[in-house]
Amino acid sequence: MAIKPELPTNPSSLSLSVDQRLGNFHLQTELVLPACGVTGIFGTSGSGKTSLLRLIAGLEYPDSGVIQLGEQVLLDTRRRICVPAHKRRIGVVFQEARLFPHYRVRGNLTYGMPAHAAARFDEIVELLGITALLKRMPGTLSGGEARRVAIGRALLSGPQLLLMDEPLTGLDGARKEELLRFIARLTKQVEIPVIYISHDPEEISAIADHLVLMKEGSIQASDHLGTLLQRFDLTYALGGFDAASILEGTVVNHDSKYNLTRIALDATHQLTVPGTSAPIDSHLRVRIPVRDIALSLAATKGTSYRNQLTAIIDDMTTLPETPHTVELRLQVGNFHLRARLTRKSRDEMGLYIGKEVTALIRSVSFNSI
């Protein structure tokens, strides 16, 4: 079941160029984001993530700049155009649920809901799994339940764009993991672009299609998540992501005896991963840390590595920060894997760009996301 916006018929891309000074902090950003899917904005505390969100939502105003969503100009300081926040049709989910304490859940969901969204109320409530909460007061909700209600209120505002500002902040491990899985499913069903802000690489890796890296008010990089994770020059800017590769595939079968799942990456490459409850033919994303990939000059028997993929060394470099190691990018079919090994191993194996090798990956190294 997909949640469709009333307008526009097709999702719209967001473009902006803004300049804002707040004391000693200077936000100076130019950005064009995809018209669909989830864009993760990642950076350390103080990098400007929330400031950027508030400018997009119309909760703050830059010193100068332009913000445009599809064909609609939301802000143009030179032309003195500034659409107020309540008319931008942008749903916002903050770090705190910010529910009205004197309204029941139903009242919170319908507060400010436009007339055209009323027909979608039952649909969204069912999608969010909050039907049983409608008569409850906010003070009786758990942190995860309150966040889901907040997401529902944002969706019922009939948005063209959904902004989520660190929605898992303050939740404990179990509730955080549960809501993360829920948001990952939700963002695949809403047919509007989503911007998800977080300083947590695990959250970003789980749901983002596109990634924006921010540092000290500026954009370091902006591209498809998998593409940025393969860039050697961003290894330390992406340090929190633990140098990993993101692969996506389709569930082929489950081995109940050994609790393993097999996924197809393409027509010729498959992987064995820890068992999952994902249905056959469903889509699955896996994260493979660079530290869990070993290389061999040929396919190897009698090893605990359950996955062996023939690969071509596409690129190879050493980084100043770790001169004893070598970073490699491996071409496997139509996708890439990152690997890391010592310079001594590289020399002893006679590795070079263009050489065929076998990538060895333990099934237990996979993190399904």
Side-chain angles (χ1 to χ4, degrees), residues 289-312:
V290 66
R291 65 177 181 272
D292 290 322
I293 297 179
L295 297 184
S296 172
L297 295 178
T300 304
K301 294 183 179 180
T303 176
S304 62
Y305 287 91
R306 306 313 306 163
N307 297 284
Q308 302 190 31
L309 302 176
T310 300
I312 302 294

Side-chain angles (χ1 to χ4, degrees), residues 340-360:
R340 179 181 296 157
L341 70 163
T342 64
R343 288 195 298 121
K344 183 177 181 180
S345 295
R346 176 201 60 186
D347 294 345
E348 290 179 346
M349 296 175 69
L351 302 182
Y352 54 86
I353 294 175
K355 185 175 180 63
E356 183 177 285
V357 295
T358 298
L360 308 174

Side-chain angles (χ1 to χ4, degrees), residues 49 72 107 150 204 209 251 254 270 305 345:
K49 305 184 300 298
Q72 183 184 16
I204 296 290
D209 305 298
V251 176
H254 299 292
Q270 295 189 354
Y305 287 91
S345 295

Side-chain angles (χ1 to χ4, degrees), residues 272-285:
T272 299
V273 303
T276 173
S277 59
I280 301 298
D281 294 330
S282 64
H283 186 76
L284 191 67
R285 180 187 290 194

Side-chain angles (χ1 to χ4, degrees), residues 21-73:
R21 288 189 180 274
L22 298 169
N24 294 325
F25 180 73
H26 188 191
L27 179 67
Q28 194 172 31
T29 299
E30 292 188 8
L31 196 59
V32 177
L33 297 180
C36 59
V38 180
T39 294
I41 299 184
F42 174 78
T44 59
S45 179
S47 60
K49 305 184 300 298
T50 296
S51 295
L52 181 61
L53 177 143
R54 293 181 66 83
L55 292 179
I56 295 171
L59 302 175
E60 292 182 5
Y61 304 99
D63 299 322
S64 62
V66 177
I67 301 175
Q68 184 167 335
L69 180 59
E71 297 181 357
Q72 183 184 16
V73 177

Side-chain angles (χ1 to χ4, degrees), residues 17 30-31 42 59 67 79 92 99 117 122 128 171 179 185 239 264 287 295 340 359:
S17 176
E30 292 188 8
L31 196 59
F42 174 78
L59 302 175
I67 301 175
R79 295 161 58 192
V92 185
L99 303 179
D122 291 340
L128 293 167
L171 298 182
L179 189 56
R185 293 194 302 270
R287 177 177 179 272
L295 297 184
R340 179 181 296 157

Side-chain angles (χ1 to χ4, degrees), residues 194-273:
V194 177
I195 295 178
Y196 188 97
I197 292 179
S198 179
H199 66 280
D200 187 333
E202 182 178 339
E203 294 179 27
I204 296 290
S205 295
I207 68 170
D209 305 298
H210 190 93
L211 177 63
V212 175
L213 292 180
M214 292 194 69
K215 182 179 181 181
E216 298 177 352
S218 298
I219 304 298
Q220 281 188 289
S222 176
D223 207 333
H224 187 274
L225 172 65
T227 300
L228 291 192
L229 292 182
Q230 296 296 325
R231 282 180 51 178
F232 298 145
D233 61 313
L234 295 176
T235 295
Y236 288 91
L238 287 164
F241 283 81
D242 197 25
S245 300
I246 303 293
L247 301 181
E248 300 186 1
T250 303
V251 176
V252 175
N253 60 54
H254 299 292
D255 182 341
S256 58
K257 179 178 180 180
Y258 294 105
N259 192 28
L260 297 172
T261 293
R262 196 151 187 85
I263 65 171
L265 301 175
D266 54 29
T268 57
H269 298 92
Q270 295 189 354
L271 292 173
T272 299
V273 303

